[in-house]
Amino acid sequence: MTKYVIHGGKPLSGEIEISGAKNAAVAIIPAALLVDGVCRIENIPQISDVTSILNILQDLGADVRTVNRTTVDVDCSHIRNAKVPEELARKIRASYYLIGALLGRFGCAEVPPPGGCDFGGRPIDQHIKGFVAMGAGVEVGGGYIHARAKNGRMQGTQVYLDIVSVGATMNIMLAAVLADGMTVIENAAKEPHVVDLANFLNSMGADIMGAGTDVIKIRGVQRLSGGVYSIIPDQIEAGTYMAAVAAAGGEVLIRNVIPKHLECITAKLLEMGVEVEEQDDAVLVRRSGPLTRTNVKTLPYPGFPTDMQPQIAAILCIAEGTSVLTEGVWDNRYRYVDEFRRMGAQIQVDGKIAVIEGVQRLTGARIQACDLRAGAAMVIAGLAACGTTEIGCVHHIERGYEDIVRKLSGVGADIRVVVTPGEEKQAQVG
Ligand code: EPZ
């Protein structure tokens, strides 16, 4: 069993370098399936979700070569297989991008339903609605989603999304770049990773307009050819470290960021009394005084990101006064609250609303990460708490944060990884 052990209460000081964006990488890597030639993808984060998606491509027959720590060459020219193995696909949510990419490339796809964090229902009906509108037949059976373009090639059309969905927007984009004619996605998601995927595809020869607005137009082209592309910095990783500084106090320069992508997070931290200074590709975050209450509602971009909801909750727990947090994207993203309560947090949850009564101090406790961002929020709570916090199930955190322990230790946090094989045996026996 691997756990993180944190002795809290130490202010942070120094610099943290942000890695490439997870949610861009896990879409751009499958997008290489559409490209005839070698895609050199730079600024790839070293996280287990990326390893999983690269393993799937290799299993399909892609040639994947590591150039250096953050760069891979992916060549999918010789792939002839459109069936994704179940055990690999179930590890990650983003395996659904293989449906759009394989449909675009071969006109057919066999992909198991995706895995990923559990926030209540996570339907993909809007993805399927898009594929069907583009002329594919889609059936679910035998543990697989079977999709096949009726004429062997996807057909451009107009798709109106009933819900603003990041995954459906990007998946339909993948299915459309090599389709016959023009696809128009209305009510599209505007997240930075949607724009990054469009920029990647355009740099390989696609014709996509409007990414970053709510109408995206994709004119199908005959062929994409290889090239070099660098993934954007991770908005949520940066926001997580901004919240860590807010929690622990101190001053940290967070480097390799796009400050524009962080505005929704910066605005809330400023309201809470945290100082944030934007630079060209960095933000300086400083907190010396007390944190003050605020209300937060999560919304699709450019609203406050749902993937920062548990981390902002961690700091609201120690802010003066009562804050109201409203989850506007997922049905059930408060599963971490019981763990925070073990640390002395005062939180009441009613459906999508959490009311947080700030306390003077959290106290260290033994807690379990229940998903990726909740796990990161527990690290933040541990940094702020007095005493020792032990966090189990950290594999959730390592799905999306490269070297979180090293990055935080580098700015003075007292955090270490502890592997206890004895406990692992006990846990299995128990
Ligand atoms: C992406 O998930 C991210 N995952 C999530 O990040 C993130 O929380 C989410 O977008 C919202 O920003 C990846 O990029 C791999 P959605 P996705 O489709 O695409 C409903 C993290 O921590 N919906 O935008 O699966 C859905 O239930 C992860 O990094 C439908 O009803 O999210 C939700 O309420 C966790 N039908 C809302 O839309 C659909 O077909 C938004 O979901 C699709 C979605």
Side-chain angles (χ1 to χ4, degrees):
M1 191 194 283
T2 304
K3 61 188 176 191
Y4 295 167
V5 178
I6 303 169
H7 299 289
K10 300 200 168 41
L12 307 180
S13 160
E15 295 186 7
I16 293 180
E17 176 95 14
I18 297 304
S19 303
K22 168 181 95 78
N23 288 345
V26 295
I28 286 174
I29 293 167
L33 275 165
L34 297 161
V35 179
D36 204 1
V38 179
C39 299
R40 173 159 293 188
I41 310 173
E42 301 174 338
N43 205 29
I44 291 206
Q46 285 201 317
I47 51 175
S48 63
D49 269 17
V50 161
T51 309
S52 299
I53 203 93
L54 285 169
N55 286 343
I56 293 176
L57 283 202
Q58 274 182 307
D59 192 273
L60 290 172
D63 188 8
V64 176
R65 284 167 203 237
T66 303
V67 178
N68 60 42
R69 207 177 60 81
T70 56
T71 305
V72 290
D73 282 349
V74 183
D75 184 356
C76 296
S77 318
H78 305 296
I79 290 185
R80 297 285 171 266
N81 179 11
K83 182 166 182 175
V84 174
E86 196 170 356
E87 63 284 4
L88 293 179
R90 289 178 77 92
K91 287 190 179 166
I92 50 168
R93 186 77 193 153
S95 53
Y96 53 36
Y97 291 128
L98 293 153
I99 311 174
L102 289 167
L103 271 175
R105 166 86 184 265
F106 297 115
C108 62
E110 287 184 83
V111 181
C117 298
D118 176 7
F119 312 135
R122 292 189 71 175
I124 59 164
D125 57 299
Q126 297 301 306
H127 305 228
I128 292 173
K129 170 178 159 171
F131 300 145
V132 170
M134 296 176 74
V138 181
E139 282 174 15
V140 184
Y144 270 81
I145 298 164
H146 305 266
R148 182 170 290 276
K150 292 201 180 90
N151 303 321
R153 191 163 177 195
M154 300 299 275
Q155 306 296 314
T157 188
Q158 188 152 347
V159 182
Y160 177 84
L161 296 178
D162 301 327
I163 289 177
V164 179
S165 160
V166 172
T169 302
M170 305 223 267
N171 225 344
I172 295 165
M173 199 190 288
L174 290 168
V177 281
L178 297 178
D180 277 334
M182 171 88 93
T183 303
V184 180
I185 309 174
E186 297 200 66
N187 200 25
K190 297 182 276 216
E191 268 67 3
H193 31 292
V194 174
V195 179
D196 209 35
L197 175 64
N199 287 343
F200 166 81
L201 291 165
N202 281 343
S203 76
M204 306 284 152
D207 186 354
I208 303 173
M209 292 155 290
T213 75
D214 51 15
V215 181
I216 302 179
K217 295 182 178 169
I218 307 134
R219 195 186 305 277
V221 296
Q222 286 294 322
R223 171 174 185 270
L224 301 184
S225 45
V228 181
Y229 190 79
S230 185
I231 290 175
I232 52 166
D234 197 306
Q235 173 206 28
I236 304 299
E237 190 199 11
T240 301
Y241 290 120
M242 292 168 81
V245 182
E251 180 176 311
V252 175
L253 184 70
I254 300 174
R255 294 176 43 233
N256 185 35
V257 302
I258 299 175
K260 175 91 193 140
H261 294 168
L262 300 174
E263 277 172 359
C264 35
I265 301 164
T266 299
K268 280 294 151 190
L269 293 179
L270 290 173
E271 275 178 39
M272 295 182 70
V274 180
E275 293 168 61
V276 182
E277 195 182 301
E278 288 184 4
Q279 303 180 359
D280 284 349
D281 60 356
V283 282
L284 182 67
V285 184
R286 188 183 307 118
R287 205 270 286 171
S288 45
L291 291 165
T292 47
R293 61 153 303 279
T294 190
N295 296 335
V296 179
K297 177 165 185 174
T298 70
L299 287 168
Y301 190 82
F304 188 89
T306 174
D307 293 345
M308 276 296 297
Q309 184 254 90
Q311 301 91 311
I312 199 91
I315 53 175
L316 292 174
C317 285
I318 50 163
E320 283 175 0
T322 304
S323 306
V324 179
L325 186 52
T326 308
E327 173 55 45
V329 177
W330 296 108
D331 287 339
N332 183 9
R333 206 171 188 171
Y334 289 122
R335 292 192 314 131
Y336 60 87
V337 161
D338 280 344
E339 302 302 288
F340 277 12
R341 287 192 185 121
R342 288 176 196 273
M343 302 178 75
Q346 293 198 10
I347 310 179
Q348 300 304 324
V349 176
D350 185 4
K352 292 187 162 193
I353 294 176
V355 178
I356 304 176
E357 196 82 49
V359 295
Q360 281 250 311
R361 265 239 173 269
L362 295 173
T363 46
R366 294 175 82 165
I367 52 178
Q368 301 287 326
C370 53
D371 65 56
L372 167 61
R373 306 302 172 188
M378 288 173 201
V379 172
I380 292 170
L383 295 173
C386 64
T388 304
T389 300
E390 290 185 16
I391 305 174
C393 294
V394 296
H395 59 276
H396 287 296
I397 303 173
E398 291 169 0
R399 282 187 40 222
Y401 289 89
E402 176 178 322
D403 279 345
I404 187 168
V405 170
R406 184 185 57 78
K407 288 186 185 187
L408 284 171
S409 307
V411 290
D414 186 344
I415 175 170
R416 65 202 161 88
V417 181
V418 176
V419 183
T420 45
E423 278 188 28
E424 186 174 27
K425 278 200 194 102
Q426 258 182 4
Q428 281 166 1
V429 173

